[in-house]
Amino acid sequence: MTRKLILFTALGIAVGAMAGYLYYSEIGCVSGTCAITSNPLNSTLYGAFMGGLLVNTFVKSPKK
């Protein structure tokens, strides 16, 4: 793993976590029965996970 890959992944995780929390606070779940958006921790962790995955899909792997 290169330093660039780690930096981009960390950036994606941070942006995803912020987006997940923003989704919880602005849209959220009114009834409280939603598995992900009813709890701010779940929503933030899900957003961080998705942000990390999304960024890693655009990073090219180094050639051997």
Side-chain angles (χ1 to χ4, degrees), residues 2-60:
T2 63
R3 185 172 239 186
K4 185 178 179 181
L5 179 63
I6 293 171
L7 180 66
F8 280 132
T9 303
L11 183 65
I13 289 171
V15 170
M18 287 188 287
Y21 184 77
L22 206 69
Y23 185 85
Y24 163 76
S25 66
E26 295 299 319
I27 299 170
C29 182
V30 178
S31 64
T33 58
C34 308
I36 295 172
T37 59
S38 64
N39 186 351
L41 180 63
N42 290 346
S43 185
T44 303
L45 290 176
Y46 183 76
F49 180 71
M50 286 298 155
L53 284 178
L54 180 69
V55 169
N56 276 330
T57 60
F58 295 111
V59 175
K60 293 181 181 178

